[in-house]
């Protein structure tokens, strides 16, 4: 019996039936959400070349490949939650997500609203914004405290 290897993106699909074709075969992700999932999976796999290949605009201009490679060695990715997918039109879309990770023995999160643009028939990560948590929300640093009692002081 073959062992199914689940995709790290949390889809419950086998990797080769999910993000694998985009990362390994250079196929284009058909939607911003699928691109987001494949980029998360590429971070898990430490495939920084894929991350770089799927960027344009401010994201690409501000990308530091050496820093990304160094960080990839220090981070253990723990899971991805897709919170909201908001297409604006056929050439722009947004995906709000939380990515859980561990670095230096401490669990942390990234909460981002990613902007994606479609250019020449392909989706690309364009930019990201970090929503500010409410005063009574859990602190995004992973401390377990409310934001107002931690980083929001």
């Amino acid at each position: 019996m073959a062992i199914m290897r689940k995709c790290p993106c949390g889809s419950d699909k086998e990797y080769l039936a999910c993000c694998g074709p985009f990362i390994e075969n250079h196929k284009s992700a058909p939607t911003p959400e699928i691109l987001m999932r494949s980029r998360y999976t590429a971070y898990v796999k430490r495939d920084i070349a894929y991350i770089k290949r799927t960027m344009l605009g401010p994201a690409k201009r501000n990308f530091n490949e050496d820093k990304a490679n160094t960080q990839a060695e220090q981070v253990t990715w723990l899971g991805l939650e897709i919170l909201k997918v908001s297409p604006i039109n056929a050439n722009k879309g947004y995906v709000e997500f939380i990515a859980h990770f561990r670095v230096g023995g401490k669990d942390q999160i990234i909460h981002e609203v990613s902007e994606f643009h479609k250019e020449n028939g392909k989706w690309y990560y364009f930019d990201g914004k970090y929503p500010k948590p409410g005063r009574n929300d859990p602190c995004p640093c992973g401390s377990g405290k409310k934001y107002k009692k931690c980083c929001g002081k």
Side-chain angles (χ1 to χ4, degrees), residues 36-90:
M36 174 65 239
R37 289 181 178 280
S38 69
R39 286 174 52 82
Y40 172 83
T41 298
Y43 275 111
V44 171
K45 295 175 64 57
R46 298 179 180 156
D47 188 340
I48 302 305
Y50 180 78
I51 299 301
K52 186 176 179 180
R53 189 167 63 243
T54 57
M55 294 178 162
L56 66 97
K60 190 170 189 172
R61 283 192 299 276
N62 297 324
F63 185 67
N64 182 323
E65 191 170 358
D66 291 334
K67 183 177 178 183
N69 277 308
T70 299
Q71 289 175 337
E73 297 297 322
Q74 299 168 350
V75 172
T76 301
W77 294 97
L78 305 172
L80 175 67
E81 296 175 64
I82 302 293
L83 303 177
K84 186 176 179 184
V85 178
S86 306
I88 298 302
N89 60 45

Side-chain angles (χ1 to χ4, degrees), residues 3 61 94 98 116 122-123:
I3 297 173
R61 283 192 299 276
Y94 295 89
I98 295 176
F116 296 88
K122 294 182 180 182
W123 284 104

